[in-house]
Amino acid sequence: SSALSVPAASIRAMEWFQKALEREGAIPYFSQPYVQSIFQGHYDWVISLAKSTEYQAEGQTRTGVLLLDIDYAALAELAGEIRLGSSGYAYLMDARDAVIYHPRQQLHFAGLESEDTRAVVAQVAGLCRDAAGGRERVLIVNPIRQTRWRLVGVAYIDEVLRLQNAVLRIFLVVLICGGILSVGVAALTAYSVTQPIRHLQHKMGQVEAGDLNTTITARGFREIRALSETFNRMLLRIRGLMEQI
């Protein structure tokens, strides 16, 4: 733990402290990114979560503020891992419609780039479309619970269409392979059914030609094996009757 670098009275006057008290613990207060300087030797770029709470001290109920600082670098790293195509990205807006994280944040701070958020502000949540740099974009707006922040995913339509075509090609290849496999399985199944029947037909032809000493090897499905066994018993009975005669 670190010692405080400012007096308690100065902390009570800070925005996050006052906002948390105003909300009376119902909804946490989320600050914009800023440099946290209340701890000695630590000057971190953070987003603060503050929430008022009650506690017991000397037999009395008092109100305090619970502070949680979220490291901005960790948040930026997490958001930076979101990829929507080769050039898609995600950024974060606060309740005031200000961009508090962008993958090209330094260029935005320097005024070299800016993000057009008009479509997002008008949409609030869901899907919307706009254009930037001559390319159409799909914007996926997802509100974050209890913060009134919005995570905005940006995907370029030309990349989405290319991905759609690639998925379609893969689907067609899978469909063709599935069709070929189905035909192969059907042919194999038909062969396994018809081959024992042809074998039985051939043996019956031998008996019809006068060869009563032939036998049929029972194979194939259960019904065909039963028929073959019945035919063998019939031949055995015929041979017995011929010997008696």
Side-chain angles (χ1 to χ4, degrees):
S1 60
S2 302
L4 295 176
S5 61
V6 295
S10 298
I11 294 177
R12 295 190 187 98
M14 291 182 175
E15 181 182 17
W16 57 264
F17 195 99
Q18 295 297 324
K19 291 291 186 181
L21 291 179
E22 291 175 5
R23 301 185 180 205
E24 298 180 349
I27 301 176
Y29 168 74
F30 286 82
S31 72
Q32 290 184 315
Y34 72 103
V35 176
Q36 180 61 278
S37 58
I38 65 174
F39 301 107
Q40 292 182 1
H42 293 275
Y43 301 95
D44 300 319
W45 191 256
V46 300
I47 294 175
S48 290
L49 183 155
K51 185 176 186 297
S52 64
T53 183
E54 293 183 349
Y55 64 98
Q56 298 291 326
E58 299 178 354
Q60 297 181 351
T61 300
R62 299 184 179 182
T63 301
V65 173
L66 178 65
L67 173 67
L68 174 65
D69 285 337
I70 304 172
D71 186 6
Y72 183 81
L75 178 64
E77 181 179 359
L78 180 63
E81 293 178 354
I82 300 175
R83 291 289 183 270
L84 299 173
S86 59
S87 56
Y89 57 90
Y91 64 89
L92 195 61
M93 293 177 61
D94 66 7
R96 305 172 186 174
D97 297 330
V99 177
I100 60 176
Y101 165 76
H102 196 281
R104 295 187 288 272
Q105 191 80 4
Q106 294 180 347
L107 296 177
H108 284 227
F109 283 156
L112 301 177
E113 284 190 10
S114 62
E115 184 68 46
D116 187 357
T117 61
R118 290 175 297 178
V120 176
V121 172
Q123 180 68 24
V124 179
L127 298 176
C128 56
R129 296 173 63 173
D130 70 352
R135 300 174 67 188
E136 286 192 86
R137 308 186 302 177
V138 176
L139 307 177
I140 305 101
V141 186
N142 185 24
I144 300 176
R145 291 183 180 180
Q146 298 183 346
T147 63
R148 296 181 63 190
W149 290 3
R150 280 165 287 178
L151 180 64
V152 183
V154 180
Y156 289 91
I157 292 181
D158 54 353
E159 294 180 357
V160 173
L161 293 177
R162 285 199 299 270
L163 179 61
Q164 179 181 350
N165 292 334
V167 171
L168 181 59
R169 286 194 296 269
I170 294 173
F171 175 76
L172 289 177
V173 170
V174 172
L175 184 62
I176 293 173
C177 292
I180 295 174
L181 182 60
S182 299
V183 171
V185 171
L188 183 61
T189 302
Y191 178 80
S192 64
V193 172
T194 59
Q195 186 63 20
I197 296 176
R198 289 174 181 173
H199 176 70
L200 179 60
Q201 182 183 15
H202 175 69
K203 292 296 183 178
M204 287 181 175
Q206 290 180 348
V207 173
E208 187 178 2
D211 185 6
L212 297 178
N213 294 319
T214 187
T215 57
I216 299 177
T217 303
R219 59 185 180 181
F221 291 101
R222 182 177 59 185
E223 292 79 4
I224 300 176
R225 291 198 305 270
L227 183 60
S228 299
E229 292 170 357
T230 302
F231 190 74
N232 284 333
R233 288 195 297 270
M234 182 189 70
L235 288 177
L236 183 61
R237 179 63 175 164
I238 290 175
R239 286 195 293 269
L241 293 174
M242 293 294 292
E243 291 175 0
Q244 290 178 12
I245 296 173

